[in-house]
Amino acid sequence: MDKIVILTGAGISAESGLGTFRDENGLWAQHRIEDVATPEGFDANPKLVHDFYNMRRAESEKASPNAAHTALAELQKSFAGEVILVTQNVDDLHERGGAETMHMHGSLAGSLCAACGHRWPSPLETRPEDPCPNCARPATRPDIVWFGEMPYQMDEIYAHLGECDLFAAIGTSGEVYPAAGFVQHANASGADTIELNLAPSSTVSHFAQTRFGPATQTVPAWVKELSGK
Ligand code: BV8
């Protein structure tokens, strides 16, 4: 087996204490998606959106990587072939667990200038009036992909999906596209597919194998099996 592509979602960070989106009392139960995760919401009330991500950044700082994050980093190091890790998450727990990660929905660690497109490392707290270090205009936004915006590195991700032998989805509800469609691309390239989740996702029927349970149990066991192969 030469290439594994792994997609993770909020469920992999749940046992690190970070909220998921669609579980009970998840983030979308406390905030309206339209208000905090769309360009229109940002234009309407940039302070509300900055505060939403300041809260997420503070939570993420307090959290630590769990056994699932470190197991995937271990797999990247020990697996003979290539392990491509794509996350929908915006926290940095994969990196802090030692893994190389593609953030298709952006990252709390980045700020973006809505005026000139400049990117820079985000401070813990950001405000709408923060001047861009490049063009000095007060147009700072989180470097996060909102609904209706194009996720990052899609061409690269599709190329990996086109030539992978195994595709795994971990801790994602399969509700958000284009990420939720990755399993179909993997199937079209003849890859084996596995879903590791607490409960069946909306796309569970597209997976050849499923493992249910908390990620800190299912992921290390799965990595151990793969490393034994
Ligand atoms: C785009 C950043 C086009 C913000 C996010 C109608 C039909 C189909 C698609 C659409 C449609 N209408 C609109 C669309 C497109 C839309 C979409 O898919 N909407 C959905 C809601 C219908 N998608 C988009 O807008 C995307 N862009 O399509 O652009 C385009 C084309 C051309 C030019 C320009 C644009 C952009 C999507 C990205 C939006 N940003 N996040 C932020 O993070 O604050 S999405 C948001 O949902 C998060 O990123 C999150 O990652 C993502 C998915 O959620 P999950 O990670 O899966 O989390 P969730 O809570 O849902 O599930 C948690 C899972 O974990 C559960 O299954 C649970 O069982 C499990 N779990 C819990 N605990 C554990 C566990 N598993 C294991 N162990 C545990 N302990």
Side-chain angles (χ1 to χ4, degrees):
M1 190 188 306
D2 300 326
K3 180 178 276 191
I4 305 175
V5 175
I6 299 169
L7 171 71
T8 62
I12 200 166
S13 299
E15 290 165 271
S16 296
L18 293 186
T20 61
F21 293 90
R22 295 170 183 83
D23 288 331
E24 244 159 78
N25 69 14
L27 285 161
W28 297 151
Q30 303 156 43
H31 306 270
R32 277 167 28 94
I33 293 182
E34 302 76 2
D35 296 342
V36 294
T38 63
E40 299 74 18
F42 179 68
D43 292 343
N45 189 342
K47 173 108 182 64
L48 177 76
V49 174
H50 274 274
D51 288 347
F52 175 63
Y53 287 101
N54 290 336
M55 175 276 287
R56 303 266 305 277
R57 213 169 279 117
E59 299 283 299
S60 175
E61 284 276 307
K62 278 190 313 217
S64 312
N66 62 48
H69 296 108
T70 48
L72 294 185
E74 190 35 53
L75 181 66
Q76 276 187 332
K77 290 186 186 70
S78 64
F79 187 69
E82 221 183 333
V83 179
I84 304 293
L85 177 56
V86 180
T87 188
Q88 300 171 90
N89 301 340
V90 295
D91 63 61
D92 62 352
L93 295 183
H94 279 304
E95 287 83 353
R96 286 162 58 199
E100 289 211 0
T101 320
M102 296 171 78
H103 278 270
M104 65 178 288
H105 290 166
S107 165
L108 291 167
S111 280
L112 169 64
C113 176
C116 75
H118 180 63
R119 285 184 163 84
W120 66 97
S122 175
L124 208 47
E125 292 262 321
T126 57
R127 297 163 309 161
E129 60 273 21
D130 293 347
C132 164
N134 178 52
C135 73
R137 277 173 283 185
T140 296
R141 59 167 278 183
D143 190 8
I144 299 270
V145 177
W146 287 323
F147 286 95
E149 295 185 322
M150 182 53 93
Y152 294 150
Q153 299 178 276
M154 291 307 293
D155 293 345
E156 209 181 324
I157 294 168
Y158 283 128
H160 287 309
L161 288 168
E163 52 186 32
C164 72
D165 311 286
L166 175 59
F167 172 73
I170 302 175
T172 181
S173 60
E175 295 279 341
V176 175
Y177 287 82
F182 288 176
V183 62
Q184 282 145 297
H185 285 265
N187 280 322
S189 359
D192 192 3
T193 54
I194 183 168
E195 171 172 280
L196 295 108
N197 212 39
L198 197 58
S201 75
S202 310
T203 51
V204 68
S205 60
H206 297 289
F207 287 87
Q209 302 171 60
T210 53
R211 300 270 172 91
F212 297 127
T216 54
Q217 288 166 29
T218 58
V219 177
W222 176 62
V223 165
K224 207 154 154 249
E225 254 177 60
L226 279 177
S227 310
K229 264 189 185 147

